[in-house]
């Protein structure tokens, strides 16, 4: 099967600072990739580089066989990159529904389907984005990315700072997206145990470099790399 | 104490005069609120449109609405050209203030070169027409102005609220980078909005030609009050701009009727300061 | 010859020699001015909020410089007018006069127009002891410098004298107005006259039920019109500038109200005469291109030249009126002063002016009264058939013309 995303020799950062060095990995259609690592190792920079909001120093990013590394963010979005930023960055002055419709593109993910995935958003459709709770904002951020009908969904620490009950709800929705809808995704997480079960593949970053790549199942079976690079096991 | 007739008449003429503030504020509010560009040349564009309407009307006897139909596309092109400059030189909010100020001064000089500094007045028989309702007189031109301003403000409000483009614009105004990452082409939308702003200036200009006195230095006469209106009406809110315009117009007029006419210029800023101090939720 | 002239002569030996010859024997070179030009510096508000009338003053000044040069120039030397733009700003006027006197070293200065720039320039003129003729300051008591001379015959106290001219004209009407509404701009010269009008009217038993002041640059006259209508007096006195009178009359008509008789202080003459609201309104003036004014020396030619140039400059109102005539008179006074004193020395020019009578387009003008003013000669004109006609006082009314009652 041809790769949906193919990243080679990628170096990127902000201003003159190089954060990512020589990163290479590939992702097939319908595959989900977990990006693991400690704080500040470059996980978010990797997603931001795929979106196009960092400075790329070298390397290539191919989406569906087309080089997108040189394109502006709005062009990449048009080609199917859907982003759920770490800060969520929902449009606070727009209503929940407007957050979705402002960026919506035709495709299987209609607004109604997004509401079906997150019924809480439907209840709050007319409220302003700024009035939502943290968990609801996260749902909206995911829903907004889905509304663009992406080929590849990029999720940056989707459960960060949320109450356990909301985390459960979100993980259930993500499971549905990845398992049933077969949406290709890259999920950045610190807590490996939360996402390894729902992804096929995993990689671990350390100081901007990939230090481990394997099947997610393999990491679950043998958590030694997790202990070594993340210093944790059973969380 | 002034009579009820006097107060009612003052209120009517004030609200209607406020329609002009609202109409001028509309384009300014859009570009300031949604593009973060403070376009001082908006007033100069409106006056250029007014002079063109005057010229078409007096020299070629073109009816004002046909003049508007001709002037609006011209101003639209000027607005697009101006935005090309903003885009080309990556102008920010403060720089836009300085650049558009210079642009306004250049336009003022150009207008003076062609039309001289002398006062110009486009006399039409509409200018003194009014409808009598009970004890009150409603001037026809100002009423038409308010209706046009109302349609534009309402239409723009709906457009921003209901269409993809409008919502994308509002999203981009809040966070242009994030909006871009979701596929919003902010640059194209910005051109559209700048063009629209200039077209609104042209429509305002047509009414300025019919209602007000033309002199190059008059470009600056509306600046203070319209800025107050834009802020009271909330940046980027077309209906707010119109309502704020009418509020200021009515306040000025009532102040003129009850106290002294010379108080009028103080009114707009007093209302602005009072509202800023009050800090209501809608602001 | 003063020091400044001496320094100047060292740089222009030949020209200076001719100039000296002209000074010594004006009769010899009387036929046409020759030699180094006499440089006269001044500013006009070519841009900014006073710019409406600058072009009028500019045209009038240029006509006069040519006119003077076609005769004898200034003591036989050609006149050169160095005109700068003060942007309607007093501080700019101040520094430009400073520059004209100290850097450009002009021989003489000509005043700017409008009260604020005139006051600014007067301060500089006083510091350097220059004679300053000003064309248009409507508040004579502000002219405190003893070598400043007014070109326009307001008289020393126009706020007392001119209201009585108006009251006399009112009294001559078949039904003399008994009440008067006064509406005035807060522009200083208008407000000054409006205050005087109220005082003099009340002294003579004309009631003033409503006195309103509005800010210069007032945009909406709707509320003011509503108050004027409600007061419904026999006479409306408007201390207007520019198009304010047109705007007020229009606003009144929107309320279906036409004032019985109205007077307008300093409106733009063209638009008011042509407006349907302007028919038979009164206005202040000092002359019109009509008899007896056209019989004054030089007036006919100047009026024709003015019309020609103003038309060419695309001015909507190309007829000479008090604005332009003020500038004409200012140059006539300077010409008379220099040639009368036979000197470019400011003190001698001033002394000559105070002792003599100068005949300008405004008639015989004296400078021996309070604030260097002579007799007042402010008149009343009325729009008749879309033209301005002087209608009061009677000795200035052209044959066949009379004040039409409304």
């Amino acid at each position: 099967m041809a790769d949906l995303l193919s990243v080679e020799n990628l170096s990127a950062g902000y201003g003159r600072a190089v954060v990512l060095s020589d990163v290479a990995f590939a992702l097939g259609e319908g595959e989900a990739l977990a990006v693991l690592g400690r704080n500040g190792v470059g996980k978010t920079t990797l997603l931001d580089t795929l979106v196009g909001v960092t400075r790329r120093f070298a390397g290539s990013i191919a989406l569906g066989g087309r080089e997108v590394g040189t394109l502006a963010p709005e062009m990449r979005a048009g080609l199917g990159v859907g982003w759920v930023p770490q800060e969520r960055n929902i449009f606070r002055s727009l209503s929940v529904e407007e957050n979705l419709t402002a960026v919506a593109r035709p495709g299987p993910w209609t607004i109604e389907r997004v509401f079906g995935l997150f019924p809480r958003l439907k209840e709050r459709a007319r409220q302003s984005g700024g009035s939502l709770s943290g968990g609801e904002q996260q749902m909206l951020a995911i829903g907004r990315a889905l509304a663009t009908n992406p080929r590849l969904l990029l999720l940056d620490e989707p459960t960060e700072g949320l109450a356990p009950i909301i985390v459960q709800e979100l993980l259930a929705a993500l499971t549905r997206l990845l398992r049933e809808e077969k949406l290709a995704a890259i999920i950045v997480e610190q807590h490996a145990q939360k996402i390894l079960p729902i992804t096929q593949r995993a990689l671990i970053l350390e100081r901007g470099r990939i230090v481990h790549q394997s099947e997610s199942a393999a990491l679950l079976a043998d958590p030694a790399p997790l202990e070594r690079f993340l210093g944790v096991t059973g969380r | 104490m002034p009579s009820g007739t006097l107060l009612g008449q003052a209120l009517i003429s004030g609200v209607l005069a406020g329609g002009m503030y609202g109409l001028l504020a509309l384009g300014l509010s859009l570009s300031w609120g949604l593009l973060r560009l403070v376009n001082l040349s908006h007033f100069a564009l409106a006056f250029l449109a007014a002079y063109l309407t005057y010229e078409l009307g007096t020299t070629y006897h073109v009816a004002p609405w046909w003049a508007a139909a001709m002037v609006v596309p011209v101003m639209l092109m000027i607005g697009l050209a101006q935005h090309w400059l903003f885009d080309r030189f990556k102008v920010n909010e403060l720089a836009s203030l300085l650049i558009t100020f210079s642009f306004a001064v250049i336009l003022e000089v150009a207008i003076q070169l062609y039309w001289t500094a002398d006062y110009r007045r486009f006399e039409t028989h509409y200018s003194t027409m009014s409808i009598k309702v009970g004890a009150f007189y409603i001037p026809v031109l100002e009423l038409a102005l308010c209706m046009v301003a109302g349609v534009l403000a309402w239409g723009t409000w709906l457009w921003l609220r209901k269409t993809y483009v409008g919502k994308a614009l509002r999203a981009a105004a809040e966070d242009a980078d994030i909006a871009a990452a979701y596929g919003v082409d902010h640059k194209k939308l910005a051109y559209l909005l700048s063009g629209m702003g200039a077209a609104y200036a042209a429509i305002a200009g047509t009414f300025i030609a019919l209602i007000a006195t033309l002199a190059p230095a008059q470009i600056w006469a509306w600046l203070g009050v319209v800025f107050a209106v834009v802020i009271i009406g909330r940046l980027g809110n077309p209906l707010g701009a119109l309502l704020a315009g009418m509020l200021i117009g009515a306040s000025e007029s009532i102040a003129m009727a009850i106290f002294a006419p010379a108080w009028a210029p103080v009114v707009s800023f007093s209302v602005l300061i009072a509202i800023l101090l009050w800090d209501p939720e809608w602001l | 010859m003063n020091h400044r002239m001496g320094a100047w002569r060292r740089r222009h030996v030949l020209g200076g020699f001719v100039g000296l010859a002209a000074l010594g024997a004006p009769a010899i070179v009387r036929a046409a001015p020759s030699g180094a030009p006499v440089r006269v510096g001044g500013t006009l508000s070519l841009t900014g909020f006073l710019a409406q009338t600058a072009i009028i003053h500019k045209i009038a000044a240029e006509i006069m410089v040519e006119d003077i040069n076609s005769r004898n120039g200034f003591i036989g030397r050609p006149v050169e007018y160095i005109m700068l733009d003060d942007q309607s700003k007093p501080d700019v006027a101040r520094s430009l006069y400073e520059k004209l006197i100290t850097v450009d070293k002009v021989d003489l200065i000509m005043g700017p127009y409008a009260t604020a720039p005139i006051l600014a320039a007067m301060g500089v003129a006083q510091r350097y002891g220059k004679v300053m003729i000003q064309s248009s300051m409507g508040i004579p008591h502000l002219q405190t410098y003893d070598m400043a001379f007014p070109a326009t015959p307001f008289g020393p106290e126009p706020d007392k004298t001119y209201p009585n001219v108006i009251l006399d004209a009112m009294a001559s009407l078949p039904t003399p107005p008994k009440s008067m509404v006064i509406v005035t701009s807060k522009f200083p010269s208008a407000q000054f006259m409006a205050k005087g009008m109220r005082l003099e009217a009340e002294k003579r038993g004309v009631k003033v039920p409503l006195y309103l002041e509005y800010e210069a640059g007032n945009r909406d006259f709707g509320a003011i019109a509503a108050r004027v209508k409600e007061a419904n007096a026999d006479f409306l006195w408007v201390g207007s500038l520019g198009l304010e009178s047109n705007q007020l009359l229009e606003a009144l008509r929107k309320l279906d109200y036409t004032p019985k008789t109205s007077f307008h202080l300093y409106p733009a003459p063209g638009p008011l005469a042509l407006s349907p609201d302007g028919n038979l309104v009164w206005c202040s003036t000092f002359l019109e291109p009509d008899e007896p004014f056209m019989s004054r020396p030089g007036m006919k030619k100047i009026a024709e030249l003015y019309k020609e140039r103003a038309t060419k400059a695309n001015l909507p109102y190309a007829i000479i009126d008090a604005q332009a005539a003020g500038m004409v008179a200012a140059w006539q006074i300077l010409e008379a002063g220099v040639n009368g004193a036979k000197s470019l020395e400011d003190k001698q020019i001033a002394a000559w002016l105070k002792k003599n009578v100068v005949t300008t387009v405004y008639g015989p003008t004296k400078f021996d009264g309070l604030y260097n003013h002579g007799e007042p000669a402010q008149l009343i004109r009325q729009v008749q058939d879309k033209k301005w006609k002087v209608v009061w006082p009677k000795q200035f009314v052209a044959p066949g013309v009379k004040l039409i009652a409304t």
Side-chain angles (χ1 to χ4, degrees), chain A residues 9-157:
Chain A
N9 182 32
L10 184 65
S11 294
Y14 304 93
R16 302 181 67 176
V18 179
V19 180
L20 288 180
S21 307
D22 206 16
V23 168
F25 65 93
L27 193 68
E29 295 277 1
E31 268 190 329
L33 170 73
V35 175
L36 307 170
R38 287 195 183 92
N39 261 339
V41 296
K43 303 190 297 291
T44 293
T45 306
L46 174 58
L47 287 202
D48 289 356
T49 304
L50 296 178
V51 171
V53 294
T54 61
R55 183 162 170 204
R56 189 179 54 100
F57 296 108
S60 70
I61 304 166
L63 183 71
R66 179 173 173 183
E67 175 60 36
V68 297
T70 52
L71 297 182
E74 60 264 31
M75 298 288 289
R76 299 191 199 188
L79 291 170
V81 176
W83 183 35
V84 182
Q86 191 174 19
E87 310 292 334
R88 293 153 201 160
N89 298 88
I90 57 160
F91 303 118
R92 303 176 66 86
S93 64
L94 272 62
S95 75
V96 168
E97 191 172 357
E98 286 172 340
N99 261 278
L100 302 174
T101 51
V103 299
R105 283 167 193 277
W109 281 100
T110 61
I111 306 302
E112 275 315 306
R113 274 193 77 202
V114 171
F115 283 155
L117 186 66
F118 298 114
R120 277 161 177 269
L121 293 184
K122 185 164 190 174
E123 290 163 26
R124 310 228 184 300
R126 294 189 161 269
Q127 286 184 17
S128 77
S131 71
L132 297 184
S133 71
E136 290 161 349
Q137 289 194 9
Q138 189 64 58
M139 292 172 193
L140 181 56
I142 296 171
R144 182 177 59 176
L146 289 174
T148 67
N149 279 290
R151 297 173 70 185
L152 171 65
L153 187 63
L154 307 176
L155 294 141
D156 200 345
E157 306 209 17

Side-chain angles (χ1 to χ4, degrees), chain C residues 162 166 183 214 235-250 252 259 261-268 272 277-285 378-381 383 388:
Chain C
Y162 191 52
I166 298 169
V183 178
Y214 59 85
F235 194 91
L236 171 64
W237 192 98
V238 189
S240 55
L241 288 101
L243 290 191
E244 291 162 357
S245 279
N246 291 60
Q247 288 176 295
L248 176 61
L249 291 172
E250 234 166 55
L252 284 168
T261 310
S262 65
F263 171 89
H264 306 269
L265 189 60
Y266 303 129
L272 190 54
D277 299 311
N279 192 34
L280 298 178
V281 300
W282 303 9
C283 178
S284 73
T285 191
Q378 204 162 4
L379 321 168
I380 297 174
R381 57 180 168 173
V383 176
W388 289 109

Side-chain angles (χ1 to χ4, degrees), chain C residues 31-353:
Chain C
S34 61
V38 174
R39 294 157 79 234
V40 182
T43 74
L44 291 177
S45 302
L46 293 173
T47 56
F49 80 101
L50 292 169
Q52 278 85 24
T53 38
I55 185 88
I56 297 173
H57 291 261
K58 183 167 175 271
I59 292 171
E62 285 166 358
I63 290 173
M64 284 316 292
V65 170
E66 285 169 31
D67 187 48
I68 292 167
N69 282 334
S70 76
R71 292 195 296 274
N72 192 28
F74 281 0
I75 43 176
R77 286 165 55 187
V79 177
E80 186 189 329
Y81 182 33
I82 300 163
M83 182 192 52
L84 305 172
D85 176 17
D86 62 39
Q87 300 163 26
S88 308
K89 292 172 189 153
D91 51 318
V92 175
R94 192 175 300 121
S95 34
L96 288 179
Y97 274 93
E98 188 92 39
K99 173 185 176 291
L100 283 167
I101 294 170
T102 60
V103 181
D104 300 335
K105 301 207 184 323
V106 294
D107 301 298
L108 298 164
I109 60 168
M110 172 54 72
Y113 73 95
T115 304
I118 288 172
L119 287 177
M122 200 169 73
V124 181
Q126 187 160 21
R127 194 138 28 94
Y128 293 96
K130 305 297 290 177
V131 160
M132 192 181 93
I133 321 263
Q134 52 85 8
S135 65
S136 56
M137 196 159 74
I139 311 178
H141 66 77
L142 295 180
Q143 188 191 279
T144 49
Y145 170 43
D146 70 343
M147 292 213 289
F149 296 91
T152 306
F154 282 101
E157 291 176 316
D159 58 326
K160 293 198 176 77
T161 48
Y162 191 52
N164 280 296
V165 173
I166 298 169
L167 289 162
D168 289 343
M170 284 163 63
S172 79
L173 294 172
T175 36
K178 291 191 174 62
S179 61
M180 172 190 276
V181 165
I182 296 176
V183 178
T184 184
S185 162
K186 286 183 85 174
F187 195 82
S189 52
Q191 195 186 31
F192 165 73
M193 206 66 112
K195 284 180 174 160
M197 187 71 237
R198 168 149 77 167
L199 268 172
E200 299 302 317
E202 281 167 352
K203 266 190 211 165
R204 287 176 60 164
V206 174
K207 287 201 177 64
V208 182
L210 183 65
Y211 176 92
L212 289 179
E213 294 180 344
Y214 59 85
E215 209 57 64
N218 186 54
R219 285 175 296 268
D220 179 37
F221 283 88
I224 297 174
R227 290 181 76 167
V228 171
K229 181 184 177 182
E230 182 151 288
N232 193 22
D234 300 336
F235 194 91
L236 171 64
W237 192 98
V238 189
S240 55
L241 288 101
L243 290 191
E244 291 162 357
S245 279
N246 291 60
Q247 288 176 295
L248 176 61
L249 291 172
E250 234 166 55
L252 284 168
R253 191 125 74 88
K254 283 177 191 169
L255 303 182
D256 200 22
Y257 178 79
T258 310
K260 289 180 195 87
T261 310
S262 65
F263 171 89
H264 306 269
L265 189 60
Y266 303 129
L272 190 54
L274 296 175
S275 162
D277 299 311
N279 192 34
L280 298 178
V281 300
W282 303 9
C283 178
S284 73
T285 191
F286 291 91
L287 64 77
E288 291 300 318
D290 222 332
E291 289 307 324
F293 311 99
M294 292 304 268
S295 305
R296 286 177 183 165
M299 175 68 188
K300 204 162 190 165
K301 184 177 140 206
I302 290 166
E304 274 166 18
L305 270 174
Y306 182 83
K307 192 169 182 180
E308 184 189 314
R309 305 253 175 114
T311 310
K312 208 169 142 196
N314 197 20
L315 286 192
Y317 187 72
I319 296 165
I320 193 164
D321 79 332
Q323 284 282 354
M327 198 61 169
V328 168
W331 281 94
Q332 289 177 323
I333 293 163
L334 190 61
E335 181 191 21
V338 170
N339 290 341
K342 299 189 177 59
S343 170
L344 293 173
E345 187 85 41
D346 291 282
K347 280 204 179 77
Q348 292 183 26
I349 296 168
W352 188 90
L353 285 175

Side-chain angles (χ1 to χ4, degrees), chain B residues 127-212:
Chain B
S127 61
T128 51
M129 270 163 64
S130 53
I131 306 165
K132 190 163 194 243
V133 179
F136 304 113
Y137 293 86
I138 300 171
V140 167
L141 260 183
E142 278 90 340
L143 185 66
L145 157 77
C146 280
M147 278 160 33
V148 169
V151 167
L152 284 181
W154 185 254
T156 311
W157 187 84
L158 279 179
W159 178 72
L160 283 177
R161 235 128 270 260
K162 300 292 172 197
T163 66
Y164 161 75
V165 174
K167 283 180 279 196
L169 260 171
R170 284 161 56 216
E174 190 179 322
D175 193 333
D177 291 337
I178 291 289
Y182 287 89
V184 172
D185 192 344
H186 185 232
K187 275 191 175 180
K188 261 190 215 157
L189 297 181
Y191 271 99
L192 176 69
L193 204 69
S194 285
M196 261 172 67
Y200 288 1
I203 295 169
T206 307
F207 280 104
I208 290 176
L210 291 170
I211 291 170

